[in-house]
Amino acid sequence: QKQIGGSHYKDNFKIQPIEYIQANRMLFEEGCVVKYVSRHSFKNGKEDILKAIQNLEFILERDYNDWQVHQKGYKNKVRRCKL
């Protein structure tokens, strides 16, 4: 699969995260977690880990009605994940 804007997936993995995400029919937030955790040591480091954590908190809010996530102010933030 082609990758636009870098080679951090192509050069470091047997399959790209998007292939895994699509093959397993993952939801948006789960896909973002896979993407950010997979690439953190090759691209944005700590920032990618923080993005993964934020998406895990979105999952807690969405699936488990975790009100702690509301208290942290994530409820109204835009969810951004370019797969």
Side-chain angles (χ1 to χ4, degrees):
Q1 224 179 40
K2 75 177 181 177
Q3 179 179 340
I4 299 170
S7 60
H8 46 278
Y9 297 127
K10 226 173 14 175
D11 293 346
N12 296 295
F13 301 106
K14 292 183 180 187
I15 64 167
Q16 291 192 30
I18 188 65
E19 295 174 69
Y20 176 82
I21 293 162
Q22 290 176 337
N24 290 286
R25 304 179 70 95
M26 296 181 120
L27 296 176
F28 180 79
E29 288 85 355
E30 284 83 344
C32 288
V33 171
V34 169
K35 174 186 135 172
Y36 290 129
V37 169
S38 296
R39 77 179 197 186
H40 78 93
S41 59
F42 305 107
K43 192 169 181 197
N44 296 324
K46 181 180 177 179
E47 180 182 340
D48 279 341
I49 295 299
L50 293 172
K51 289 178 181 181
I53 290 168
Q54 183 179 35
N55 277 279
L56 288 167
E57 290 175 336
F58 289 148
I59 294 167
L60 285 173
E61 176 185 2
R62 181 193 71 205
D63 294 350
Y64 303 101
N65 203 24
D66 188 321
W67 293 105
Q68 289 179 343
V69 174
H70 292 286
Q71 293 171 357
K72 290 183 179 179
Y74 292 131
K75 181 177 174 156
N76 296 320
K77 286 196 176 181
V78 175
R79 298 178 187 190
R80 295 184 183 157
C81 178
K82 298 175 185 175
L83 295 177

